[in-house]
Amino acid sequence: MKHQSTRAVFEYWTRKRGTRTAPARADIDPAEIRHALGDTFILAADFAGELRLRLAGTRVCALFDRELKCETFSGLWSAESRPSIDELLAGVTDEAAGVVAGATARTEDGATAELEMLLLPLAGAGHARVRAMGVLAPRVPPWWLGAKPAAELTLGTLRHTGIDGDIGLAPRLIAGALGSRVRHGFVVYSGGRETPPGERTG
């Protein structure tokens, strides 16, 4: 984790989690991460099951030059990256797997900025719809920030956070090829070589 907001939020989330898989939304006090709040966001599920931005920090909104509250998180991403983001969000919310990722913000005229993204699960109680918190921050503030908005984000490499807070390299998520299906973050391909009868084991 390279950005100070990413490190601060991850350390805070880990401390609030304790021995649990994830802390609850009620455990999170924004005042305790006030220096990182501008780069922070919270995602909640709507009644259709889509994850939308419940809250978005001022610097996250400045990147897109608009208020992002209530927008779908996957809608911020390019068409190419969107299937991978949907799979990533499912892993975070359903399997309580945190992730750190690289991303590229691109404006309509092709200007870019490299970002660091953190996604961390939040435990829900009852019918609570808050599902995750995260950080989205430029590694170096781009010259165009405040002058023009990012049009879309493109997903880069991923690192998953383990139960003990360790971080392991994960392959870049890609859309499954024809004849494949995605299960629990893995691409499963149909077919394959059949085992000859004489080589089968009990």
Side-chain angles (χ1 to χ4, degrees):
M1 300 181 191
K2 299 180 179 180
H3 198 280
Q4 60 183 3
S5 292
T6 307
R7 294 194 299 269
V9 171
F10 180 73
E11 290 168 3
Y12 178 73
W13 177 88
T14 300
R15 188 167 67 252
K16 288 296 185 177
R17 177 187 61 171
T19 59
R20 298 170 293 173
T21 302
R25 169 63 182 91
D27 297 325
I28 306 301
D29 181 358
E32 295 181 357
I33 51 172
R34 59 186 179 278
H35 297 301
L37 273 183
D39 300 310
T40 304
F41 59 86
I42 289 180
L43 300 178
D46 62 15
F47 290 99
E50 289 186 305
L51 285 178
R52 294 180 179 271
L53 289 140
R54 173 71 63 85
L55 296 172
T58 54
R59 290 189 291 272
V60 178
C61 292
L63 188 64
F64 295 89
D65 197 26
R66 67 179 185 273
E67 172 60 59
L68 297 175
K69 185 177 180 180
C70 296
E71 291 195 28
T72 61
F73 187 67
S74 61
L76 302 178
W77 298 80
S78 66
E80 177 187 4
S81 295
R82 210 164 293 159
S84 296
I85 286 295
D86 289 339
E87 287 297 321
L88 189 60
L89 291 173
V92 171
T93 58
D94 297 343
E95 301 173 20
V99 68
V100 182
T104 301
R106 189 179 307 276
T107 66
E108 289 286 359
D109 60 2
T112 62
E114 296 303 312
L115 313 176
E116 187 169 68
M117 178 181 70
L118 174 69
L119 282 173
L120 297 168
L122 293 174
H127 297 289
R129 294 186 174 274
V130 172
R131 294 290 185 265
M133 67 181 299
V135 170
L136 188 65
R139 294 178 181 175
V140 176
W143 63 266
W144 47 265
L145 186 64
K148 49 188 172 183
E152 62 181 16
L153 305 177
T154 302
L155 185 64
T157 56
L158 307 174
R159 290 180 181 268
H160 292 295
T161 63
I163 296 298
D164 297 323
D166 57 313
I167 302 176
L169 184 64
R172 178 173 177 173
L173 292 176
I174 57 173
L178 185 64
S180 67
R181 62 191 185 280
V182 178
R183 292 178 61 84
H184 305 294
F186 294 93
V187 179
V188 180
Y189 295 93
S190 302
R193 189 182 66 179
E194 295 183 357
T195 304
E199 296 182 14
R200 292 178 183 167
T201 58

